[in-house]
């Protein structure tokens, strides 16, 4: 059989289904979440050609799932594809501490579509699920359960007990995950999954770290890092960027009196009063101009940057104030302030004065955008503070940094006035103390964006910590080069967001002061002169003489390695790896590389494809690239698809506590997994834009896509079986001569090429609209316009056979091309439609089939062009009907189609019969003679011209108004004109269309190229024709209500109860049309009641008069 369709529609398919009758209606499953332990009988997937009238897609999907399970279809597909070209895919590991949400379903659907497509285009694609088992998400859950808040409480509970508790909840929802993921139709291997807590995985992580250490890319250093007091650990810079929130913080200006002149004070501004207790310096910009002023009201003398006087005064009011608000006493450069000593704010660390503290420092990082141009320095809590104090000798390299805050963010006994107080809770108390000293100049509040911990949702602090780093900055050029070799969809995420992040990449802190994670494999002597980095379990066993089946902290913290330098025993550092380091090691650790599977790794690295959400740009995508580039000098993936975020319907973040989104399983069980898959991947979210999830949108997919597709199959099978009952066989060979057959076959083969190309480029956002446009063409154009041929009322048996063979061919093409996107309904349809294939051509699943190749002999751009133009004309005329409430059943006298191109006129004229039939019009005229019906005039668009041409616009306006009809027509054709030396474009001229004399009864509609005019006048003849059409429509609907099949013989009776003259006239005038349409005998009940069993009787209103319809056995 052949394959094919029409495409190139980038708009979401929202057209109301017009053509294929709703032979099947939709029923839904129960609106409740699936109980994963629920045992229920699932009907088997049937290949029957008899399709019931009602269909529940969720129930049909359950049958498909059962079929896949019983026949182990996923494994079978892998076995069948063995020996093909490998297609490598990496699946990013989620945490199993919560249920999967729409973001997971979206990313999983994208991955499933691409990997199914790879398999069905001749590749072997293994897909393994993975689990992120370590790190803060697990620990945070445990600490909530155990009510643990501090490190001391963890140590008291015991790391072994703590990690045992973590291990116990790691896969708390693993079974539910497998159920939900499988229910969405995703094929992925859960049996052979990888877990970051497995010994084999952790050992590969050790190998990665040791390789980096060998390359000199690992170092231990003290840096001010983002720190989570909620999780009591440092975070990496990219983690700190994951959760910014708008908060209101204190905004205070504090005075620092000069030692040399206590009546003069330096002013510093801060939004973190809690850091003031650790103040060791003040920093000015050496290039700024500073002023010494006297406040008129208080008499206080202050020094601040001249450009920042606005921090204290409203300068507009200050200019007019009498007496002046302040008096300028002196001005000087920042360099002149350098070294000046000031009185410390608090007495806690006055001893630091001997180290050079409490003086003015200089650095260019001080800006004039906010504050006073003087920045207070607390080197333990600010990256720039630390750097500046280090440069000025207040902080000594290799020595500790003043940091009087414990791991939980509470002050230590170094600050007795605030000891035990949480830093943010201390802000008001500190401000009160400063006010009591008389050094609070002003105090307010500032709403600004501030980073919060992505896990505990507490505000981060920046804290000096001794940590282990990967020297990312040393390989920045290689990272950018490796990144440039990758292909991203959409591209802007790569070229703008990701590469900009790489440009500013900082060294990566990979150590965490935590417990449940892969321990850093670093052993060291007390003086740090001897360091051993272990790269494997075997190496550790050799160094210690012990055996290890587990290398979590509880098994290593007491392990010592004898020194080879005579320094006694080496002790392991306490830290564990950042879980992002573990997930970034996934390409190697999932297969225990390099300890096993070297050949497999060499064949499948780098991955052909990965996909995750936009939030992973600075997460998994980044860590993957850093480690791979450092190890192998290249990116670990070739192609990457980034999806946006799925939001609640109100465009807020989905929240369990707010309950602002429907449970995913409820939506699936109500509308189907296919519907939710298609809804998600046919949305802006596949272009990395946000999607406000609406359940109504999923419902529309069922109505506008799944039901029409299902009904086309049912329509085909009904007519195929009728054709067989009449003793005919559908031809195996296509010989398309009918225009519509040629079109749909050409469009179908065009679609195959289009989908293959777009999928090659991973552009799902163009593939799906193309497929949906094809479905629209198939259901609403091809099937509807050929219904009579399918039913045998066309040009004989051979024509009917060719129509059915064509429909079968393109329907099978749709099933094959859409199977990666909507795997359930296509599997179901394939099982039914494939019964018509020879047994040796039939597969047990559509997902075992290869995507068909296009047949170039059936491609025909000309016929596609002609049909597209015909569709445009029909759609434009339908809009006129809809605007004027003229029903399609009501004929119109005349439609005129006007286009300046002879080719266009010839194309529509060739398809004139289709246009007449579709528009229910008695007369159609297609012409290029616009002047006969339309008169063009032109007006200057003075708003546009005035901005561009200024005074010349007034001269040009009268010239434009002189244009003749032909002048305007020429302008419309070329879209440009020259007037008084100025070239004008479309925006410069307003074209006015007026009907020519004698065309007043017409309505028009156009698309800028073609104009359609429709005669709105109605006559008695047209009214009777419309009544006759409505009569036949009522009969057909009654047949459906009675559950009759196309081949069922009946006799039709009617009674014009009120003897309406128009009804009587319509039935007499259009008797031939009615007979041809209903195809069964029909008679007036008044001439005699039925002599056989009545099937159905119904009284209705026709032309606002009562009419009785009766269907009886013949």
């Amino acid at each position: 059989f052949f394959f094919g369709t029409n495409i190139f529609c980038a708009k979401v398919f929202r057209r109301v289904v017009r053509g294929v009758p709703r032979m099947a209606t939709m029923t839904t499953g129960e609106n409740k979440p699936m109980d994963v332990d629920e045992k229920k009988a699932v009907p088997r997937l049937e290949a029957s050609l008899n399709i019931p009238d009602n269909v529940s897609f969720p129930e049909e999907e359950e049958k498909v799932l059962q079929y896949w399970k019983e026949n182990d279809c996923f494994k079978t597909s892998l076995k069948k594809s063995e020996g093909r070209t490998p297609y490598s895919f990496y699946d990013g590991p989620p945490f199993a501490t919560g249920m999967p949400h729409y973001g997971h379903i979206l990313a999983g659907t994208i991955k499933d579509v691409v990997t199914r497509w790879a398999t069905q285009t001749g590749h072997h694609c293994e897909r393994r699920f993975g689990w992120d088992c370590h790190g803060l998400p697990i620990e945070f859950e445990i600490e909530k359960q155990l009510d643990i808040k501090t490190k001391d409480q963890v140590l008291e509970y015991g790391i072994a007990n703590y990690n045992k508790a973590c291990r116990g909840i790691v896969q708390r929802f693993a079974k539910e995950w497998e159920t939900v993921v499988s229910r969405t139709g995703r094929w992925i291997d859960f049996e052979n999954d990888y877990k970051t807590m497995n010994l084999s995985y952790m050992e590969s992580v050790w190998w990665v770290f040791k390789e980096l250490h060998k390359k000199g890319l690992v170092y231990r250093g003290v840096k001010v890092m983002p720190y989570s007091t909620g999780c009591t650990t440092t975070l990496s810079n990219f983690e700190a960027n994951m959760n910014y929130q708008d908060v209101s913080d204190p905004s205070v200006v504090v005075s620092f009196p000069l030692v040399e002149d206590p009546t003069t004070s330096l002013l510093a501004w801060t939004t973190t009063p809690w850091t003031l207790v650790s103040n060791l310096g003040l920093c000015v910009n050496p290039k700024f101009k500073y002023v010494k002023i006297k406040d008129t009201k208080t008499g206080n003398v202050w020094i601040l940057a001249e450009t920042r006087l606005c921090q204290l005064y409203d300068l507009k009011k200050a200019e007019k104030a009498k007496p002046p608000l302040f008096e300028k006493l002196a001005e000087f450069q920042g360099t002149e302030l350098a070294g000046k000593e000031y009185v410390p704010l608090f007495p806690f660390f006055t001893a630091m004065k001997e180290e050079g503290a409490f003086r003015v420092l200089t650095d260019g990082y001080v800006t004039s955008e906010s504050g006073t141009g003087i920045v207070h320095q607390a080197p333990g809590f600010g990256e720039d503070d630390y750097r500046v104090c280090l440069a000025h000798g207040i902080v000594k390299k290799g020595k500790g940094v003043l940091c009087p805050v414990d791991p939980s963010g509470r002050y230590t006994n170094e600050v007795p006035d605030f000891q035990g107080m949480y830093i943010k809770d201390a802000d008001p108390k500190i401000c009160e103390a400063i006010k009591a000293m008389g050094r609070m100049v002003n105090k307010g509040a500032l709403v600004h964006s501030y980073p919060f911990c992505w896990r505990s949702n507490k505000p981060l602090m920046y804290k000096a910590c001794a940590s282990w780093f990967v020297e990312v900055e040393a390989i920045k050029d290689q990272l950018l080069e490796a990144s440039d070799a990758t292909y991203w969809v959409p591209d802007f995420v790569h070229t703008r967001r990701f590469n900009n992040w790489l440009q500013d990449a900082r060294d990566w802190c990979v150590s965490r002061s935590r417990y449940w994670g892969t321990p850093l494999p670093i052993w060291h002597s007390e003086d740090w002169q001897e360091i051993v980095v272990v790269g494997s379990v075997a190496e550790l066993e050799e160094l210690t003489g012990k055996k290890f089946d587990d290398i979590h902290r509880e098994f290593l913290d007491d392990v010592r390695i004898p020194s080879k330098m005579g320094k006694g025993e080496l002790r392991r550092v306490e830290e564990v790896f950042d879980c992002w380091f573990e997930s970034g090691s996934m390409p190697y650790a999932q297969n225990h590389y390099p300890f096993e599977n070297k050949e497999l790794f060499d064949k499948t690295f780098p991955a052909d494809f990965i996909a995750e959400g936009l939030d992973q740009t600075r997460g998994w995508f980044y860590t993957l690239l850093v480690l791979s580039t450092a190890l192998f000098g290249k990116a670990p993936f070739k192609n990457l698809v980034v999806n946006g975020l799925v939001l609640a319907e109100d465009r807020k973040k989905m929240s369990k506590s707010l309950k602002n989104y429907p449970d995913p399983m409820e939506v699936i069980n109500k509308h189907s997994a296919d519907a939710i898959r298609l809804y998600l991947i046919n949305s802006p979210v596949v272009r990395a834009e946000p999607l406000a999830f609406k359940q109504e949108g999923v419902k529309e997919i069922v109505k506008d896509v799944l039901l029409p597709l299902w009904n086309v199959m049912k329509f085909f099978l009904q007519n195929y079986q009728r054709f067989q009952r009449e003793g005919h066989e559908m031809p195996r060979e296509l010989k398309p001569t009918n225009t519509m057959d040629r079109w749909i076959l050409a469009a179908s083969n065009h679609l195959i090429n289009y989908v293959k190309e777009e999928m090659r480029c991973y552009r799902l956002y163009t593939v799906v609209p193309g497929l949906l446009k094809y479905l629209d063409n198939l259901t609403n154009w091809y099937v509807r316009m050929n219904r009579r041929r399918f039913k045998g009322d066309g040009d004989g048996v051979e024509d009917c056979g060719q129509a059915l063979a064509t429909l079968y061919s393109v329907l099978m093409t749709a099933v094959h091309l859409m199977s990666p996107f909507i795997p359930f309904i296509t599997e179901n349809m394939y099982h039914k439609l494939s019964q018509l294939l020879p047994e040796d051509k039939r597969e047990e699943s559509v997902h075992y089939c290869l995507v068909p190749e296009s047949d170039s002999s059936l491609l025909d751009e000309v016929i596609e062009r002609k049909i597209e133009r015909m569709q445009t004309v029909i759609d434009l005329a339908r809009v006129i009907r809809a605007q004027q409430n003229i029903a399609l059943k009501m004929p119109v006298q005349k439609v005129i189609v006007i286009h300046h191109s002879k080719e266009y006129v010839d194309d529509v004229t060739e398809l004139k019969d289709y246009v007449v039939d579709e528009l229910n019009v008695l007369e159609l005229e297609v012409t290029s003679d616009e002047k006969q019906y339309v008169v063009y005039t032109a007006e200057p668009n003075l708003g546009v011209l005035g901005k561009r041409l200024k005074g010349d616009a007034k001269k040009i306006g009268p010239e434009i108004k002189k244009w003749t009809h032909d002048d305007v027509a020429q302008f419309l054709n070329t879209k440009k004109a020259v007037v008084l030396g100025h070239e004008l474009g479309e925006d410069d001229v307003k074209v006015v269309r007026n009907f020519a004399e004698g065309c007043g009864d017409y309505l028009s509609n156009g698309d800028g190229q073609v104009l359609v005019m429709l005669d709105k006048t109605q006559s008695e003849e047209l009214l009777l024709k419309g009544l006759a059409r409505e009569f036949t429509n009522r009969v057909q609907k009654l047949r459906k209500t009675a559950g009759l099949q196309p081949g069922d013989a009946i006799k039709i009776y009617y009674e014009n109860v009120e003897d309406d003259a128009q009804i009587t006239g319509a039935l007499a005038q259009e008797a031939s049309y009615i007979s041809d349409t209903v195809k069964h005998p029909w008679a007036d009940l008044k001439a005699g009641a039925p002599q056989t069993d009545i099937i159905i009787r119904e009284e209705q209103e026709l032309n606002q008069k009562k009419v009785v319809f009766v269907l009886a056995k013949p």
Side-chain angles (χ1 to χ4, degrees):
F1 52 90
F2 297 82
F3 311 91
T5 213
N6 190 16
I7 38 131
F8 301 122
C9 175
K11 295 181 180 178
V12 177
F13 176 61
R14 286 290 182 267
R15 182 174 298 184
V16 177
V17 176
R18 301 182 300 267
V20 179
R22 296 279 191 205
M23 298 177 292
T25 56
M26 174 184 64
T27 61
T28 62
E30 291 184 311
N31 188 10
K32 65 174 186 176
M34 175 180 288
D35 182 352
V36 297
D37 295 318
E38 186 178 354
K39 303 293 183 183
K40 59 181 180 181
V42 180
R44 292 184 61 82
L45 184 62
E46 298 176 358
S48 170
L49 300 186
N50 296 314
I51 314 298
D53 286 337
N54 297 326
V55 59
S56 166
F57 290 120
E59 289 180 11
E60 292 296 321
E61 290 182 347
E62 293 285 356
K63 298 176 189 178
V64 173
L65 283 171
Q66 186 71 11
Y67 177 81
W68 287 347
K69 182 177 179 180
E70 289 178 355
N71 293 275
D72 214 354
C73 289
F74 174 44
K75 286 186 178 177
T76 303
S77 74
L78 291 174
K79 189 168 184 62
K80 283 177 171 284
S81 65
E82 285 179 354
R84 296 179 186 170
T85 303
Y87 183 88
S88 177
F89 160 70
Y90 296 157
D91 196 25
F95 290 99
T97 50
M99 290 291 287
H101 51 66
Y102 289 102
H104 294 120
I105 293 173
L106 166 65
T109 299
I110 292 172
K111 296 170 188 177
D112 191 54
V113 167
V114 173
T115 52
R116 283 181 184 273
W117 180 266
T119 301
Q120 291 175 238
T121 50
H123 298 86
H124 178 71
C125 181
E126 292 188 356
R127 293 94 101 181
R128 292 177 63 198
F129 205 81
W131 301 101
D132 215 338
C133 304
H134 288 148
L136 293 179
I138 311 294
E139 293 184 320
F140 194 67
E141 291 295 318
I142 283 299
E143 291 182 2
K144 282 197 297 184
Q145 286 185 22
L146 301 177
D147 194 27
I148 287 176
K149 295 183 173 64
T150 67
K151 180 178 181 179
D152 289 340
Q153 288 177 309
V154 173
L155 297 178
E156 183 182 347
Y157 185 69
I159 291 176
N161 292 329
Y162 183 94
N163 281 357
K164 182 180 179 181
C166 288
R167 190 187 299 271
I169 70 160
V170 158
Q171 292 200 279
R172 181 170 57 187
F173 294 111
K175 187 177 180 183
E176 287 85 348
W177 267 80
E178 183 171 355
T179 297
V180 173
V181 170
S182 299
R183 183 62 187 85
T184 63
R186 187 177 178 194
W187 277 5
I188 192 162
D189 188 352
F190 279 97
E191 292 180 16
N192 189 34
D193 57 3
Y194 69 86
K195 300 179 180 71
T196 61
M197 69 179 182
N198 286 353
L199 177 63
S200 61
Y201 194 101
M202 295 168 71
E203 184 175 29
S204 290
V205 172
W206 275 12
W207 171 82
V208 171
F209 186 73
K210 182 164 185 176
E211 289 299 303
L212 298 183
H213 186 263
K214 285 180 184 177
K215 294 173 180 285
L217 294 174
V218 172
Y219 68 92
R220 179 176 181 264
V222 175
K223 282 194 174 184
V224 175
M225 298 293 300
Y227 185 89
S228 169
T229 58
C231 297
T232 64
T233 187
T234 55
L235 299 179
S236 61
N237 284 303
F238 62 80
E239 286 176 295
N241 280 276
M242 295 172 78
N243 185 19
Y244 267 82
Q245 298 180 25
D246 287 338
V247 295
S248 178
D249 274 326
S251 171
V252 300
V253 176
V254 180
S255 65
F256 293 84
L258 292 173
V259 171
E260 65 184 41
D261 179 10
T263 63
T264 300
S265 296
L266 299 158
L267 299 188
W269 170 79
T270 184
T271 58
T272 54
W274 64 267
T275 63
L276 287 169
V277 298
S278 306
N279 171 264
L280 296 181
L282 297 174
C283 189
V284 299
N285 191 310
K287 297 181 179 179
F288 283 3
K289 182 189 290 185
Y290 289 82
V291 292
K292 181 178 179 179
I293 64 167
K294 182 177 181 179
D295 183 77
T296 306
K297 184 176 181 181
T298 65
N300 292 327
V301 178
W302 295 320
I303 294 175
L304 72 163
E306 184 176 43
T307 57
R308 295 306 306 162
L309 285 166
C310 58
Q311 184 71 37
L312 301 181
Y313 306 103
D314 182 331
L315 296 183
K316 289 186 178 180
K317 290 183 179 179
E319 289 178 2
K320 302 175 182 178
K322 291 184 180 180
L325 300 181
F326 62 88
E327 178 186 356
K328 186 187 293 186
L329 303 178
E331 61 180 45
F332 26 74
Q333 288 295 115
T335 50
E336 298 177 57
L337 294 172
K340 289 185 180 293
E341 297 181 352
Y342 62 86
V343 179
L345 190 60
F346 289 98
F348 309 127
F349 305 106
T350 52
M352 290 291 294
K353 186 172 183 179
E354 297 178 7
E355 305 293 329
F358 310 117
R359 58 192 172 92
V360 177
L361 317 174
T362 59
D363 192 89
Y365 92 93
V366 178
T367 72
S368 59
E369 294 174 1
S370 59
T372 62
I374 303 175
V375 180
H376 110 82
Q377 304 293 288
F381 303 110
E383 188 174 1
D384 284 312
D385 304 41
Y386 178 83
R387 178 182 56 77
V388 172
C389 288
L390 183 65
H392 287 80
I394 298 174
V395 173
K396 304 298 189 293
K397 194 168 186 178
K399 292 189 177 182
V401 182
L402 177 64
C403 187
V405 173
D406 71 13
S408 298
R410 298 178 183 278
Y411 285 113
T412 64
N413 57 10
E414 296 174 278
V415 185
D417 292 6
F418 310 107
Q419 182 179 351
M421 198 176 292
Y422 180 65
I423 54 172
K424 295 302 291 182
D425 295 338
D427 273 343
K429 297 289 185 183
I430 291 171
C431 289
E432 288 176 14
I434 295 172
K435 185 177 180 181
M437 298 176 201
R439 293 175 64 172
M440 180 70 74
V441 177
N442 68 28
K443 180 176 179 292
L446 175 72
V447 176
H448 63 149
S449 186
Y450 192 82
F452 278 61
C453 175
W454 63 277
R455 196 65 223 173
S456 67
N457 206 37
K458 283 191 173 183
L460 296 180
M461 64 186 292
Y462 284 79
K463 182 181 177 185
C465 301
S467 305
W468 290 88
F469 295 85
V470 171
E471 200 170 356
V472 175
E473 293 170 44
I475 59 170
K476 187 181 296 184
D477 290 342
Q478 294 97 302
L479 288 174
L480 289 165
E481 185 178 346
S483 174
D484 287 344
T486 60
Y487 174 77
W488 293 48
V489 176
D491 182 62
F492 77 86
V493 180
H494 181 208
T495 56
R496 289 186 239 163
R497 190 178 181 123
F498 189 68
N499 277 3
N500 288 347
W501 176 253
L502 291 182
Q503 291 280 3
D504 297 326
R506 299 179 184 180
D507 291 350
W508 174 15
C509 175
V510 297
S511 58
R512 296 290 181 270
S513 300
R514 299 301 303 176
Y515 319 99
W516 177 241
T518 300
L520 264 66
I522 304 170
W523 275 258
H524 66 94
S525 60
E526 288 297 325
D527 61 6
W528 287 94
Q529 296 303 304
E530 185 177 0
I531 296 176
V532 173
V533 177
V534 177
S536 69
V537 173
E539 183 182 354
L540 181 62
E541 291 176 342
E542 183 181 342
L543 290 169
T544 62
K546 297 179 180 180
K547 289 290 183 183
F548 295 91
D549 297 320
D550 196 324
I551 54 174
H552 282 92
R553 272 195 67 172
E554 61 268 33
F555 301 101
L556 296 187
D557 280 359
D558 294 329
V559 172
R560 305 289 185 265
I561 293 176
S563 169
K564 294 181 179 180
M565 298 171 61
K567 293 181 178 290
E569 291 184 322
L570 309 185
R571 180 189 299 269
R572 196 191 71 80
V573 300
E574 285 190 354
E575 293 92 339
V576 298
F577 278 107
D578 172 12
C579 63
W580 292 98
F581 189 94
E582 296 183 26
S583 60
S585 301
M586 170 264 175
Y588 332 105
Q590 67 167 338
N591 289 314
H592 197 206
Y593 178 87
F595 308 101
E596 297 180 80
N597 301 305
K598 284 187 177 182
E599 185 178 349
L600 174 63
F601 176 78
D602 291 340
K603 287 181 179 178
T604 57
F605 179 85
D608 289 292
F609 163 69
I610 66 170
E612 295 294 343
L614 188 63
D615 54 334
Q616 295 302 322
T617 306
R618 296 173 180 177
W620 192 53
F621 301 155
Y622 175 70
T623 62
L624 280 174
L625 184 71
V626 168
L627 295 183
S628 178
T629 304
L631 291 171
F632 299 102
K634 60 183 176 182
F637 54 85
K638 300 174 187 174
N639 304 288
L640 188 159
V641 174
V642 188
N643 63 262
L645 302 181
V646 183
L647 306 175
E649 188 169 351
D650 58 5
R651 303 195 73 80
K652 295 180 181 178
K653 186 176 180 181
M654 288 187 172
S655 167
K656 290 181 183 178
S657 59
L658 294 176
K659 296 181 180 179
N660 61 350
Y661 67 95
D663 181 272
M665 288 304 290
E666 287 185 11
V667 177
I668 289 173
N669 290 333
K670 185 175 183 180
H671 300 297
S672 78
D674 278 340
I676 201 169
R677 284 170 66 109
L678 208 54
Y679 170 73
L680 289 172
I681 58 176
N682 189 42
S683 73
V685 81
V686 292
R687 298 192 299 270
E689 298 172 14
L691 166 68
F693 183 87
K694 297 180 181 179
Q695 190 172 179
E696 186 64 28
V698 181
K699 183 179 178 181
E700 287 179 7
I701 290 291
V702 177
K703 176 175 67 72
D704 293 344
V705 181
L706 302 186
L707 269 174
L709 186 60
W710 184 266
N711 283 335
V712 169
M713 175 188 68
K714 180 172 182 176
F715 179 78
F716 165 77
L717 291 175
Q718 286 176 337
N719 285 284
Y720 169 79
Q721 291 176 90
R722 173 197 54 74
F723 196 62
Q724 278 196 318
R725 287 195 301 269
E726 293 172 358
H728 312 302
E729 286 295 326
M730 189 175 73
R732 291 286 175 190
E733 184 180 358
L734 290 175
K735 297 179 180 178
T737 56
N738 177 276
T739 298
M740 296 303 288
D741 289 351
R742 288 169 51 217
W743 164 64
I744 199 65
L745 287 168
S748 296
N749 283 275
H750 193 167
L751 178 69
I752 293 172
N753 293 337
Y754 175 79
V755 173
K756 285 185 174 181
E757 175 59 20
E758 296 307 292
M759 286 301 292
R760 185 186 69 80
C761 298
Y762 296 89
R763 290 191 287 258
L764 272 68
Y765 53 85
T766 58
V767 173
V768 177
L771 289 167
L772 297 184
K773 175 61 179 176
Y774 167 62
L775 184 59
D776 178 36
N777 280 328
L778 179 61
T779 59
N780 294 325
W781 294 96
Y782 178 71
V783 171
R784 188 186 70 248
M785 296 175 78
N786 290 275
R787 195 179 298 114
R788 292 173 61 86
R789 295 176 63 220
F790 295 130
K791 294 180 177 180
D793 298 333
D795 295 330
V797 172
E798 185 177 349
D799 179 64
C800 179
Q802 279 296 319
L804 288 171
T806 299
L807 180 56
Y808 181 70
S809 169
V810 298
L811 195 52
M812 285 294 273
T813 296
V815 168
H816 282 285
L817 289 178
M818 299 186 82
S819 61
F821 301 87
I822 42 177
F824 290 105
I825 189 173
T826 51
E827 183 77 287
N828 205 328
M829 292 174 67
Y830 180 80
H831 273 256
K832 294 170 174 56
L833 294 171
S834 64
Q835 300 304 304
L836 279 61
L837 294 173
E839 193 167 340
D840 62 337
K841 301 289 185 184
R842 198 183 307 160
E843 285 282 6
E844 294 174 351
S845 168
V846 70
H847 304 292
Y848 301 164
C849 301
L850 293 178
V851 171
E853 296 294 330
S854 67
D855 184 342
S856 59
S857 69
L858 295 174
L859 291 170
D860 190 337
E861 292 184 2
V862 173
I863 194 68
E864 287 192 75
R865 182 197 73 214
K866 291 177 179 179
I867 296 295
E868 185 176 9
R869 288 172 170 177
M870 177 199 75
Q871 290 173 320
T872 299
V873 168
I874 291 171
D875 281 340
L876 289 171
R878 280 180 176 152
V879 169
I880 299 174
R881 277 182 170 274
Q883 290 173 342
Q884 298 300 313
N885 294 318
I886 305 173
L888 273 172
K889 298 181 186 70
M890 181 61 65
V892 293
Q893 186 62 44
K894 187 175 183 179
V895 168
I896 303 167
V897 179
I898 305 170
H899 195 283
H900 63 82
S901 164
K902 182 179 183 301
E903 179 189 79
Y904 199 111
V905 170
D906 290 344
D907 286 351
V908 177
T909 301
E910 184 181 324
L911 303 172
K912 186 174 183 177
D913 291 345
Y914 293 112
V915 178
V916 168
D917 187 52
E918 285 298 307
L919 293 181
N920 193 12
V921 59
L922 301 186
E923 182 183 353
L924 176 70
E925 181 180 350
V926 188
T927 179
S928 58
D929 185 6
E930 294 175 303
K931 294 173 72 172
Q932 184 179 349
Y933 301 102
V934 178
V935 177
Y936 288 135
T937 58
E939 296 283 340
N941 188 342
L942 293 176
V944 175
L945 288 171
K947 288 180 181 179
R948 187 162 65 86
L949 302 179
K950 308 301 180 188
D952 285 352
K954 293 182 179 180
K955 301 175 185 177
I956 290 174
E959 297 300 316
I960 293 175
K961 291 181 179 181
K962 294 177 183 178
W963 286 0
T964 65
H965 173 93
D966 291 338
D967 292 333
V968 179
Q970 176 69 16
F971 175 75
L972 288 172
N973 187 38
T974 62
K975 297 181 174 52
K976 62 181 180 180
V978 176
V979 178
L980 299 180
H982 294 285
E983 185 169 312
L984 307 184
E986 289 180 280
D987 295 336
D988 299 319
V989 179
K990 296 177 182 178
V991 174
V992 181
R993 288 184 174 89
N994 296 299
F995 287 126
E997 190 175 344
C999 296
D1001 293 329
Y1002 281 85
L1003 301 167
S1004 69
N1005 190 20
D1007 64 355
Q1009 293 293 317
V1010 63
L1011 181 68
V1012 175
M1013 298 171 58
L1014 184 145
D1015 188 349
K1016 64 183 179 181
T1017 56
Q1018 290 289 311
S1019 64
E1020 183 69 13
E1021 179 188 6
L1022 293 176
L1023 178 62
L1024 297 183
K1025 285 180 179 290
L1027 280 174
R1029 282 193 173 232
E1030 186 59 33
F1031 180 89
T1032 61
N1033 180 258
R1034 299 296 178 86
V1035 171
Q1036 303 293 31
K1037 286 184 177 179
L1038 201 58
R1039 283 176 55 88
K1040 182 180 177 182
T1041 302
L1044 295 171
Q1045 298 301 314
D1048 293 340
I1050 57 169
K1051 188 167 183 179
I1052 302 160
Y1053 295 87
Y1054 73 93
E1055 181 182 357
N1056 183 359
V1057 177
E1058 299 179 45
D1059 293 324
D1060 181 69
Q1062 285 187 322
I1063 294 176
T1064 301
L1067 299 184
Q1069 176 182 300
E1070 302 296 323
S1072 177
Y1073 164 78
I1074 294 172
S1075 297
D1076 289 343
T1077 304
V1078 300
K1079 299 186 185 310
H1080 295 282
W1082 58 290
D1084 192 337
L1085 273 172
K1086 293 177 181 178
Q1091 302 300 309
T1092 56
D1093 293 340
I1094 292 177
I1095 300 170
I1096 189 171
R1097 177 191 179 96
E1098 198 171 278
E1099 182 179 289
Q1100 300 184 16
E1101 276 198 0
L1102 184 65
N1103 200 32
Q1104 298 181 331
K1105 304 295 181 182
K1106 290 180 181 179
V1107 176
V1108 173
F1109 291 91
V1110 175
L1111 303 184
K1113 293 184 177 180

